[in-house]
Amino acid sequence: MLELMGMELDKKNGAAGGGGGDEASGLTALLPLAGAAEQPYVSELLSFTLDRLHKEPELLRVDAERIRRQMQEVAVGNYRSFIAASDALSFIREQLAGFDKHLESLTTEIPKLTTGCTDFVESAQQILEERKLNKTLLANHSTLLDLLEIPQLMDTCVRSGNYDEALDLEAFVCKLSKMHCEIPVIQALAAEVKQTAHSLLSQLLQKLRTNIQLPECLRIVAHLRRIGAFSESEMRLQFLRCREAWLSGILDDLDQRNVYEYLKGMIYCHRMHLFDIVNQYRAILVMTNLEMRRIMMEGFFSVGRCIKSEII
């Protein structure tokens, strides 16, 4: 077919000089090699003479043989690279298979990872809150230390006889306990202060059982009223009991071997100390005249009973 096309071209070369290019383009369009890569070669074939076209298959065979030999030489000279590339390809395939397995495992573990991350966020939030609390605690360390030392300070005040300061500390802790009733540390602090207040109450009552004068009695009763452990009637009763215990202790210390001296000392004690007790009671607890007469009569009756028992 190419020969016929060449003959037709030779016949028409002389007849149409200027229009030969257009006809060649039309024939090129009729060839089955219509790809863009083959168009230059087809155009070159159409420009060959008939003899050149007869030689073209042999030339193509020679070129093919030359290219084949070159490919063999390249393959022999670079066989190591080809082997390495083949090994690399096999290795990559194996690695891809391993990647596939690991990817499946990763897909399976993703829910666990999500759960772990959620737990971590929650625990981190809790740790952050605890850190904030610890930071606040550190910032208020000195104040908190002063609060925790209140029971010890109050106990020291009680032992030293500084009752006003001890009662001020108790009032402060009671107020603090009412304001922050939900804090366990404050409640524990209030419990310790309450125990110290009981010790203070016992010490004040014990002082009423000693030989004290009116000013000291006034201070002790004022402290007892600040504590608030007794009502007004109970306060009067406690005062009389304590003073009676003190008077009974004085009478017990008298020498009972000599009846005369014992009666004389007992009368003297009742005359002196009972009068002091009544005056203290009147000055501190606002005793009525009826109560004063009753106490005096009870004192005199007790003296009479003691004298009668000694005479008998």
Side-chain angles (χ1 to χ4, degrees):
M1 184 176 181
L2 291 174
E3 292 177 357
L4 293 175
M5 292 173 61
M7 292 173 66
E8 292 292 332
L9 289 173
D10 290 337
K11 290 179 180 180
K12 294 180 179 180
N13 280 335
D22 295 336
E23 292 178 358
S25 299
L27 290 173
T28 302
L30 295 175
L31 291 175
L33 299 175
E38 291 83 5
Q39 286 298 330
Y41 179 67
V42 172
S43 299
E44 187 180 1
L45 283 178
L46 295 177
S47 64
F48 290 165
T49 61
L50 184 60
D51 294 335
R52 179 71 173 81
L53 289 174
H54 282 295
K55 295 178 181 179
E56 187 65 20
E58 183 64 21
L59 294 175
L60 291 176
R61 186 185 63 78
V62 172
D63 288 340
E65 184 66 23
R66 179 177 55 81
I67 292 172
R68 185 180 63 79
R69 286 196 303 270
Q70 289 178 354
M71 290 179 63
Q72 289 178 353
E73 291 175 358
V74 170
V76 172
N78 299 280
Y79 76 96
R80 296 180 183 274
S81 300
F82 292 139
I83 294 174
S86 178
D87 293 340
L89 181 61
S90 300
F91 177 75
I92 290 173
R93 287 177 179 174
E94 293 176 358
Q95 291 297 319
L96 288 176
F99 289 161
D100 188 25
K101 293 180 181 179
H102 289 302
L103 184 60
E104 292 178 357
S105 301
L106 179 61
T107 305
T108 306
E109 295 295 330
I110 283 177
K112 297 180 181 179
L113 178 62
T114 304
T115 304
C117 291
T118 304
D119 296 339
F120 174 76
V121 170
E122 293 177 356
S123 61
Q125 186 67 27
Q126 184 178 0
I127 292 173
L128 182 61
E129 293 177 358
E130 293 178 356
R131 183 178 180 275
K132 290 181 180 179
L133 292 176
N134 292 333
K135 189 175 181 180
T136 305
L137 178 62
L138 181 61
N140 299 279
H141 176 264
S142 58
T143 304
L144 183 61
L145 187 62
D146 292 338
L147 289 176
L148 294 177
E149 289 179 351
I150 286 179
Q152 183 179 359
L153 180 60
M154 183 177 176
D155 184 69
T156 303
C157 292
V158 171
R159 294 177 183 274
S160 302
N162 300 321
Y163 302 128
D164 290 326
E165 290 78 2
L167 291 173
D168 290 339
L169 291 173
E170 183 199 13
F172 171 73
V173 172
C174 289
K175 182 179 179 181
L176 195 65
S177 176
K178 292 178 181 179
M179 293 174 59
H180 305 284
C181 58
E182 73 282 357
I183 301 178
V185 175
I186 300 298
Q187 298 305 316
L189 185 66
E192 294 182 10
V193 169
K194 189 175 181 180
Q195 292 179 357
T196 308
H198 286 306
S199 175
L200 173 60
L201 178 62
S202 301
Q203 188 168 341
L204 290 174
L205 293 177
Q206 184 62 34
K207 276 187 170 293
L208 286 177
R209 297 185 181 96
T210 60
N211 185 15
I212 55 177
Q213 300 301 318
L214 180 60
E216 186 67 19
C217 286
L218 287 172
R219 284 192 293 270
I220 292 175
V221 172
H223 295 327
L224 291 174
R225 283 174 175 164
R226 285 191 63 183
I227 293 175
F230 306 116
S231 62
E232 190 62 27
S233 58
E234 291 174 345
M235 179 76 70
R236 295 182 180 187
L237 183 60
Q238 286 293 334
F239 180 82
L240 292 176
R241 284 177 178 175
C242 292
R243 301 309 289 164
E244 182 184 6
W246 168 69
L247 183 59
S248 299
I250 294 177
L251 295 177
D252 292 338
D253 292 338
L254 295 176
D255 187 9
Q256 300 182 9
R257 291 175 296 180
N258 189 341
V259 177
Y260 175 76
E261 293 295 333
Y262 175 71
L263 292 176
K264 182 180 178 181
M266 184 174 60
I267 293 172
Y268 175 80
C269 290
H270 277 83
R271 180 172 60 85
M272 293 295 297
H273 299 306
L274 186 61
F275 180 75
D276 291 338
I277 292 173
V278 172
N279 286 334
Q280 292 170 358
Y281 187 87
R282 289 184 62 187
I284 298 172
L285 301 171
V286 193
M287 181 178 63
T288 62
N289 293 330
L290 181 61
E291 290 175 339
M292 182 181 66
R293 287 196 296 269
R294 181 174 59 81
I295 293 174
M296 294 294 292
M297 292 301 295
E298 289 179 355
F300 292 145
F301 286 150
S302 63
V303 172
R305 286 194 298 270
C306 292
I307 294 174
K308 183 178 180 180
S309 62
E310 292 296 333
I311 293 174
I312 294 174

